[in-house]
Amino acid sequence: MTTELPPHLARLRQVLPAIVGDMERHVPYASALAMQSAGTTVRVNHREQEVSQAEPSQGVVLTAFNGAYLEELALGTLDPDQIARQAHAFAATVGSRVVDEGVQIEPGAPLTAHYATSCQQPPDDVPLATRFDHCRDLHARLAGGDERIVNATVNYGDRTEYKVFANRTRCLSQAIVRIRLTLVVFMAQNGRTEYSWITRDGTTGFERTAVAEAEIAELWDTVRMLLTAGRIEPGLYDVVTGPRMTGIIAHEAFGHGVELDMFLKGRARSQEYLGKPVASPLVTMVDDPTVPGAYGSYFFDDEGQLAAPTVIIADGVFQRGLSDLTAATRLRVPRSANGRRESFARKVYARMSNTFFRPGDADPAEMIRGLEYGFYLPEASSGMEDPKGWGMQVTCPYAREVRHGEFTGRVLAPVAVTGYVPELLQSVTAVGHDLQLDGGHCGKGEKEFVPVSSGGPHLRMKARLS
Amino acid sequence: MTERDGGLEFLEQVTARLAQTAGVDDWLARQVEMTEHQFYLIGDAPESVRTVHTTRLEVTVYNDHPPRRATGEPVRGSAQVTLLPADLPDLEARLRDAVFMASLADNPRFSLPGPAEMPAVETADPALLADPPEMSRQVGTALRRAVAAEPGVRLSSAEVFIRERRLALRNSRGAAGLHHGTNLVLDLVLMAGAGPAEAERHIAVRRRRRADLDIEMLVARYAQQARDSLRAVLPQGRTGPVVISGEALRELFLPLLLHTGAQFHYQRLSPLRIGEPVFRGPLQGEALTFISDGRLPYGSRTAPFDDDGVPRQTTVLVRDGILQSLWAEHRYAEYLNIPATGSFANVRLAPGATPLADLLAGDDVTHVVSFSWLNPDPVTGKFSGEIRLAYQRRNHEWTPVKGGAVSGDVFAALAHAHFSAETQFRGDYLGPEAIRFEELVVAGE
């Protein structure tokens, strides 16, 4: 059963509180996070097939506060005796250099609980051969739509992640299933190769991997359009963004800049805008790890803080940022459940979960019909944050030209959206009544990848395209 | 493998079992031990200190079987599993699962590399290994001292990682090898100015040895760029020469790296052909020479062998703009009937004939030293990157600019490029310090 802890972790859950208690004989605060994750990957394309175990992760990280900062020992084992021995020696070493700088770490209200995501079809309950055959069938459906298709790829992955957190007041555990499916079609014509993709993801079960014929036909149409796409004339345009593009703006343009470790480092321009307008009054943006089924969801963060939504921007005004334990303690602000680490081997940072703009009341189709001249940006392929300069870069695989409210059939590719973040957000003139979240893996800079999702409704705004 | 961690017992136990497991027609096993010391600074004060120890065994099993949905010659499937020491009691079941996974996949058969003499390469730095925690503190101290010497600049944050990795490889055909490597990773953010006028420079470098990291020079260069960012304005939009230097160059070559690989050709994703130009259009500048160098002393991707056990080598992929050969992992080399070179290693580019100063000549040139993220499309080669810091000549003086974007197509741009005579080493890149592309689009005012 994917909802229960595996035996190694279940045994460890019994003894971790005592191990933390022993550590706190030497240091003013200690905690432990044990984690184990495993899953399956399937890859099928025109010329290759592969079924493998997703790279597993298994280990424990022991955290000890020395009065000034956190010291950690990460071990690739779940053996209780070994962990107890190493924890004792580690805490004794850290304890020998404890200082009193008047900083207290709040362990949280007492709580013992276990949580698990709910799935209609837990992937482990679906025979591996069935999962593989599903991918082969999807590949066969993808491959037949156009004689210009030179390759088509189906990438499937499921992963179940178990975590146990203990400090002096809390003993928490969670089991989270994550599913991700990506379909890619490549077409070639006159020495030019183009491609596009669709994805499915979530903290859900295998049921999430169903793909309708219409979506595959739309994918073929997109690649056909790209084979004749031109480059855009750089300039400032009226645009309507689709939910995926909206989400990348939320995540890259604003989200990274409100991760509060950036405040500690003096790296966030948003620090100067607390309580001030940063966007159109139509804009409300949240980070919410509790969204059922979303790819970035969890029940508690890697420092034992229970998940809850954080309103970052309300009606255009910047409200608060996202914190890990260190940032909240040093900045003396309330914690949010955003202390996350890539694995036990990596440090915790303040990280987003599911970050999105809340829907408004506009009809997305009407928003496009309202463009006299501009572009529709349905997709985003990548983005990069610039919390200090508040510059933004989001790459869209293509833009569709709109004139007098109608698509002209002209497609430009690829298109970069650049500019000054507040200028972009203040230019929002309509917010759609739709909402869609899409998952992926987010790095801090160029490392520290964690599962997240981002999204929102359609937005109408002015953007600098090139 | 190491006296400290109990040697190769884990590897030997697993490989002995692999040899006896039904359905394992071939196998590959890599034991990886890693120890890392991590030191984090915010400003002048430590934020965190961490020590990490891990051991894992990466196993690939190969199973030959009749095709599942057709008739014909036997096919081969492979599956990877990662084993941890705690998995030993369940080893039989884990390997059985791996065989089942491998039995599902139908691929044309291929073999594994056999025994070979592995080259001696330089990848481990005794200076980093002597006392890693102390070394990380020394690097932190040197960093703070270098920043203190720079007017108008402060250290926002820094991360210093010292990593030791030991790898032992064996396969069922007799390939075997050991590799010991070190890495020093420095990630830092410099801040210039104060209040609303602040500007930052983020730098991430990775070197195998301490001697290859000149902290004073690094800080001096990026501190100047941080100060320049304070007075940077929007670039003037134009189509014309753009000189790209520094860290952005490595990323620019990602599409070429993939298009010169056998797997990309086997997947029918590359239009490039051996003996033909890699650039699009008539050659109007200097021709590129592009090498995968697996033996570059202290290169980040230098090793005695690749992940399959193919000895690392130096392979000229593109000479004078013409595709000479493909880098090829053992499997794809067999599929395409070409020599196996192993996976891609370090990027090495032949320097050009033009001094950097001459590349920067002309009133219409834009010199980009940093992009937000230069992320060319791996298949099409098209790119559009936001300018984090560049310089444009205005009234005969260099003016710092930021915002806007540079866009183009890597394969088209290489037809009209000039390479600097000066070279730079950046861990996994040895080549020109800068490249001038004569016709790229700068979006700005």
Side-chain angles (χ1 to χ4, degrees), chain A residues 389-393 417-424 464, chain B residues 386 403-404:
Chain A
W390 250 348
M392 67 171 281
Q393 173 184 325
V417 181
T418 58
Y420 186 57
V421 172
E423 217 167 81
L424 185 87
R464 187 173 295 280
Chain B
E386 191 213 16

Side-chain angles (χ1 to χ4, degrees), chain A residues 48 53 72 265 388 447, chain B residues 50 94 198 267 332:
Chain A
E48 288 179 278
Q53 176 202 54
E72 292 192 326
K265 295 166 185 170
K388 193 68 197 177
K447 55 188 181 65
Chain B
R50 308 184 80 247
R94 298 294 308 279
E198 279 183 320
Q267 300 280 6
Y332 300 103

